[in-house]
Amino acid sequence: LNVRAGTAVGLRFELVAQGTYFPVNVDNFYFAFMDIDMGPHGTGRESLTFTTDIANFYIAEDSYLEYSYPNETTNLVVWAGNSASGDLNNNPQDPWDLTDDQERHSIALVLASTSGFEVILNTTTGVGGREISFSGWSPLIEDTFNTTISQGSSQTLAAATVLSDSGHSSLPEWLSSSR
């Protein structure tokens, strides 16, 4: 996806029955966003605001991303941290074969007992467009955590599963004012 710097777009990703537009609920499915970064000098900083519940999420322990924990009143928000500069040279070419640097710019979601989710992709002022890639399953889950996700009923996330709490933060001023 390419989002013009200084704008936002709301999207709904939906699983549907083949050949129809009928939503299909599944127990669990994975979805990953990659290449979450910013342009030169902090311009075009990308953020993702999930407006529907997710069951869990994964980021690399040494991720360039920052996030706010979801709770009873807010959903997950993820944004490019201050060291998350990117350009065409570090964009993923294959979502199944991410470099360590590309994994640091990525988040993988687990969604449960649903047919889809909604997200707002936002960028701060800058020049041109900002690219964000997405896929289903991501090696980020296996490479970073090597854990098993149990199949089962939906749950609202109260705390993220991450190996480190270093990226957790309250929303930055530039993001709070753009919501």
Side-chain angles (χ1 to χ4, degrees):
L1 295 172
N2 190 297
V3 180
R4 179 179 288 225
T7 67
V9 62
L11 300 170
R12 173 146 184 94
F13 291 88
E14 187 85 45
L15 300 175
V16 297
Q18 183 177 351
T20 75
Y21 295 107
F22 298 116
V24 176
N25 281 7
V26 294
D27 288 341
N28 285 330
F29 70 94
Y30 300 94
F31 203 91
F33 288 93
M34 298 153 286
D35 196 30
I36 303 166
D37 55 20
M38 62 184 165
H41 313 293
T43 61
R45 186 184 302 250
E46 300 164 3
S47 67
L48 291 82
T49 302
F50 297 92
T51 57
T52 51
D53 290 338
I54 60 167
N56 210 340
F57 70 95
Y58 296 95
I59 63 171
E61 183 175 9
D62 56 351
S63 178
Y64 298 138
L65 306 180
E66 296 185 38
Y67 54 90
S68 65
Y69 278 116
N71 59 41
E72 294 77 29
T73 59
T74 62
N75 287 334
L76 176 65
V77 180
V78 178
W79 62 93
N82 289 333
S83 58
S85 290
D87 57 30
L88 292 174
N89 295 320
N90 71 344
N91 287 354
Q93 301 300 311
D94 180 353
W96 289 85
D97 188 23
L98 299 176
T99 66
D100 290 344
D101 184 61
Q102 291 167 342
E103 285 186 356
R104 290 183 194 105
H105 290 271
S106 302
I107 182 170
L109 310 173
V110 180
L111 297 114
S113 300
T114 188
S115 63
F117 67 96
E118 295 176 358
V119 62
I120 299 169
L121 307 178
N122 184 50
T123 63
T124 60
T125 303
V127 177
R130 301 297 305 163
E131 291 185 13
I132 299 176
S133 301
F134 61 90
S135 74
W137 170 263
S138 167
L140 174 65
I141 297 168
E142 184 177 324
D143 291 352
T144 306
F145 296 94
N146 200 20
T147 59
T148 302
I149 304 299
S150 62
Q151 301 291 308
S153 62
S154 177
Q155 57 182 323
T156 300
L157 180 64
T161 301
V162 294
L163 293 178
S164 167
D165 192 18
S166 61
H168 174 252
S169 155
S170 59
L171 293 178
E173 178 62 32
W174 63 265
L175 186 54
S176 298
S177 62
S178 68
R179 296 181 73 200

